[in-house]
Amino acid sequence: MGKATLLVLDGFGVGAMADCHETKPEDIHASTYAHLQETVGLKLPTLMKMGLGKIVNNEGEAIAAYGKSKLAHHGADTFMGHQELMGSKPGKPAKRLMKEVGQQIADGLTANGYHVEELIEGKPILLVDGAVVVGDNLESALGNIINMTADLTQISFEAATKMAAVVRKHVDTSRVIVFGNESVPLTDIVAAAEEGKPGQWGINAPKTGVYGEGYQVLHLGYGVTFEKQFAYLAEQAGKPVYRIGKTADVIQAQGFANPVVHTPELLSIYKKMYNEAEEDAVFLVNVQETDLAGHKEDPSWYKEVLETVDHFLAQFLPTLAEHDLLIVTADHGNDPTCGHSQHTREHTPILAYGKQVQPVCLGVRDTMADIAATLSDFTGVQTPEFGTSFLPELTGK
């Protein structure tokens, strides 16, 4: 086999899913690609040459295999989308605030030997072992995430993740996130405790400065078992796995990780590592600025980022070795023109390129986990928990 790359254009959807009428009615008219094309115009000759035109308008020719995928996870979420891309089928989470689930979390932690107390008397925010604050995530959609902000001068990150595993068992929110930074002590964490929306209590994480150099984080998804995912299975089989961009935060693995955000820098790091890596290396790369532009509702920025990626691909594709495989996709939509600043529930594109790849139509896949199954098939490692490989369609074998 050659090197394998999954390049995720975060938030780059290609049209609303039919189930939006029932699940996300605010997204029924979302279409990230089409609306960007209408509002700011896109010059993406390389992606179009690969087959994007075939996906969105059934126009042009394709040098890559092309298709699109439904989202099998509920809603439209970066973390859950990447779990699906790695071969999971995330469970359907519930919206919960600490005022509803704080007591059951406290009881679960106490039963496991932890000391739990109120951080602020009468408020639904907890202090565990004098080192970790458990509260609502104030940055995401209401009730989506429980945050655990750790003072890593008092507790190791490994110990904090074990504590987080207990919390994960006692709540059915989309995510439990545990994080910290040795430069951010408990006093700074406590000083950033505040009420977001009425009844929502947590730590204002940006105010603490935790996201700077030295930041450590682990996301624990609902219904997700990372030991059954492609990245973990690839590493178990001895394949080097490189996570560049947002994948460093949201995909569980042990190898190279750099959560770089700025797109030119991200692509430069990817190219350098790719050229230096082993022949059986796996690259999981996320272009986050497309998603950030969607959240900012800034079509011009979105256009700039996409065109930067397209220009990079024009130079990069010819350098792929004979047996390398590159899959370009997304994790959900984020239409900057649809009237809200949240992710949109859209189909995601699939463009699979390699010198041994036939430019066939892959149709509409039922789950993005098919990509994980394909990467597993390509690399010769154990198949993940979910997904059906389309490698035979790529190779004709």
Side-chain angles (χ1 to χ4, degrees):
M1 62 158 277
K3 299 173 187 176
T5 296
L6 176 63
L7 177 61
V8 182
L9 304 179
D10 203 314
F12 188 52
V14 289
M17 287 180 53
D19 68 2
C20 283
H21 288 274
E22 293 78 34
T23 61
K24 283 193 92 218
E26 67 271 28
D27 293 348
I28 58 175
H29 299 300
S31 187
T32 301
Y33 168 82
H35 291 158
L36 286 170
Q37 192 65 266
E38 291 170 7
T39 56
V40 292
L42 294 172
K43 295 180 180 178
L44 305 174
T46 310
L47 288 168
M48 296 300 285
K49 184 179 178 182
M50 290 176 73
L52 182 59
K54 297 289 285 186
I55 295 171
V56 296
N57 295 315
N58 195 29
E59 293 179 355
E61 299 300 323
I63 62 170
Y66 59 91
K68 58 185 179 180
S69 179
K70 300 176 183 177
L71 309 184
H73 72 274
H74 299 272
D77 182 77
T78 291
F79 176 76
M80 289 302 192
H82 280 76
Q83 306 316 299
E84 187 178 335
L85 282 166
M86 288 297 99
S88 288
K89 185 179 181 181
K92 185 176 183 179
K95 303 281 188 181
R96 309 285 190 199
L97 290 173
M98 282 292 291
K99 63 182 181 180
E100 176 187 355
V101 298
Q103 189 59 55
Q104 67 193 49
I105 290 174
D107 291 345
L109 287 166
T110 301
N112 281 270
Y114 294 101
H115 175 72
V116 184
E117 58 189 304
E118 289 182 336
L119 180 70
I120 302 171
E121 186 177 356
K123 304 302 181 184
I125 185 169
L126 305 175
L127 177 62
V128 187
D129 283 359
V132 180
V133 176
V134 184
D136 296 315
N137 181 300
L138 304 182
E139 300 169 69
S140 71
L142 194 69
N144 254 5
I145 299 170
I146 299 297
N147 270 7
M148 300 178 64
T149 314
D151 177 354
L152 297 184
T153 67
Q154 298 190 60
I155 185 173
S156 70
F157 188 66
E158 181 181 5
T161 62
K162 290 180 180 178
M163 185 189 297
V166 175
V167 174
R168 174 73 279 177
K169 290 179 181 179
H170 289 85
V171 67
D172 55 358
T173 53
S174 173
R175 271 179 278 173
V176 170
I177 306 179
V178 57
F179 58 93
N181 192 319
E182 289 184 3
S183 68
V184 180
L186 184 65
T187 51
D188 290 355
I189 296 170
V190 173
E194 62 184 53
E195 186 177 26
K197 294 182 172 62
Q200 180 195 38
W201 280 87
I203 301 299
N204 184 329
K207 186 184 291 186
T208 68
V210 70
Y211 295 140
E213 184 177 352
Y215 175 61
Q216 296 186 67
V217 62
L218 177 66
H219 297 245
L220 300 176
Y222 183 60
V224 172
T225 305
F226 73 83
E227 294 92 345
K228 298 180 180 180
Q229 294 182 341
F230 167 66
Y232 179 86
L233 296 170
E235 287 191 331
Q236 291 298 108
K239 312 294 182 185
V241 176
Y242 296 79
R243 292 167 295 149
I244 305 173
K246 188 70 173 177
T247 55
D249 291 337
V250 299
I251 292 175
Q252 186 68 15
Q254 298 300 314
F256 178 87
N258 186 333
V260 56
V261 175
H262 186 50
T263 302
E265 183 181 0
L266 174 140
L267 295 172
S268 177
I269 291 170
Y270 165 51
K271 182 179 179 180
K272 179 178 184 297
M273 301 305 295
Y274 194 92
N275 289 336
E276 296 175 356
E278 304 87 332
E279 291 185 359
D280 60 349
V282 173
F283 290 84
L284 307 173
V285 185
N286 176 284
V287 177
Q288 187 180 359
E289 285 188 304
T290 39
D291 191 47
L292 297 178
H295 286 307
K296 194 177 177 183
E297 299 179 81
D298 188 339
S300 295
W301 184 19
Y302 210 130
K303 166 188 169 74
E304 178 186 343
V305 177
L306 282 175
E307 291 182 354
T308 296
V309 174
D310 193 84
H311 179 73
F312 169 81
L313 289 173
Q315 308 300 316
F316 183 70
L317 293 184
T319 71
L320 296 183
E322 186 68 21
H323 297 286
D324 291 354
L325 174 65
L326 168 69
I327 298 179
V328 180
T329 190
D331 51 348
H332 50 71
N334 198 341
D335 187 340
T337 73
C338 72
H340 65 76
S341 62
Q342 302 302 311
H343 296 158
T344 45
R345 186 166 174 80
E346 298 182 55
H347 294 92
T348 54
I350 304 171
L351 295 168
Y353 177 82
K355 294 179 179 177
Q356 299 294 319
V357 172
Q358 300 186 46
V360 296
C361 178
L362 300 170
V364 181
R365 318 299 297 194
D366 287 333
T367 171
M368 296 188 295
D370 287 1
I371 289 175
T374 301
L375 290 170
S376 293
D377 201 0
F378 177 78
T379 55
V381 306
Q382 182 180 336
T383 302
E385 189 173 13
F386 294 99
T388 301
S389 172
F390 51 77
L391 186 67
E393 296 169 64
L394 301 184
T395 62
K397 299 178 183 178

